[in-house]
Amino acid sequence: MGAVTRGTTGPDRLRRVERWLAQTQGPRLRRASDPLVVDLGYGASHVTVTDLQRWLRRVRPDVRVVGLEIAPERVASARAALAGVAGAPEFAVGGFEVPTAGDPVLVRAFNVLRQYESDQVERTWDLLRSRLAPGGLLVDGTCDELGRRSTWVALEREAGPVSLTVSVRLAGLPAPSAVAERLPKVLIHRNVPGEGVHDLLRAADDAWARAAPAGTFGVRQRWVATCRDLARDWPVLGGPSRWRLGELSVDWSCVAPGRRRA
């Protein structure tokens, strides 16, 4: 189920979400009876699947990673490239129906739904969530070509969307709102006055400006000061250990489409 995407990818392009999955979702993966993880729509190269497996094996050495692609020639290419490699990920033809043996505890769909229409996103979320194991998590996100600016929505099987995360390379960042063109599909057209995500980015820019003096100690300290400032009025998740990585996560309730922050 689905359509063939452009398939552009590259080594370490998705390192920001891979690090987040390994470090924040480790407990979810460790307690899974079947540590099955799906990289959905991995593109023309298998590299993001092997990157994901490398990160997650630090958390769960027996993790089973399956790369799913709707284009059979991409699956054939991945299998040929890794033929004979011990412990290599699995590859299979499939789309949003997630035709795997067993229900995955994690599904990553990156730079996939951004190529669909906005009105297709939520029903696709529901379909993917229905394929998760109990307690499972879906990550729907997007990033630029080099992986320096990235955003994603985390959705739980039972609760639906729970958070939005922004993760950026801090060096050379003009302002937090520079990530706007890489918002997930469900939000990218909502970055207009009256929408929560627009208010969040404007508030982040204001906090970034106020934090300019902290830049004397480096851009990382300026970002941490920005997140700390935002946390006074916004439901910011995590703390300095995540902020120092160029991350900012907020509760989904404040950016959900059509819902202004209370």
Side-chain angles (χ1 to χ4, degrees), residues 21-34:
L21 283 167
Q23 295 178 353
T24 73
Q25 302 304 310
R28 193 185 301 270
L29 186 58
R30 280 190 290 267
R31 64 176 173 258
S33 57
D34 179 9

Side-chain angles (χ1 to χ4, degrees), residues 122-243:
E122 292 197 19
R123 64 174 178 265
T124 303
W125 279 356
D126 289 343
L127 175 59
L128 290 172
R129 285 171 51 220
S130 74
R131 291 293 293 116
L132 291 169
L137 188 82
L138 163 67
V139 176
D140 167 25
T142 186
C143 67
D144 65 5
E145 289 73 13
L146 297 178
R148 293 178 175 178
R149 295 177 185 174
S150 185
T151 67
W152 57 86
V153 181
L155 303 97
E156 294 180 343
R157 179 185 185 270
E158 294 81 8
V162 293
S163 64
L164 169 71
T165 296
V166 169
S167 181
V168 295
R169 183 176 185 266
L170 294 173
L173 182 72
S177 62
V179 79
E181 64 183 14
R182 298 297 171 177
L183 286 170
K185 187 70 176 188
V186 74
L187 293 177
I188 196 165
H189 300 300
R190 297 285 184 163
N191 186 22
V192 294
E195 289 283 345
V197 70
H198 180 272
D199 292 346
L200 173 65
L201 293 180
R202 298 292 80 73
D205 281 357
D206 290 345
W208 178 256
R210 289 191 295 270
T216 302
F217 305 101
V219 67
R220 185 171 297 181
Q221 292 305 313
R222 185 177 182 182
W223 182 264
V224 170
T226 298
C227 295
R228 185 172 287 114
D229 188 340
L230 274 177
R232 297 189 182 102
D233 298 310
W234 289 82
V236 173
L237 307 174
S241 64
R242 304 307 309 172
W243 303 341

Side-chain angles (χ1 to χ4, degrees), residues 62-76:
D62 63 339
V63 67
R64 182 163 64 98
V65 178
V66 178
L68 287 181
E69 253 297 337
I70 203 167
E73 63 274 14
R74 293 177 181 174
V75 174

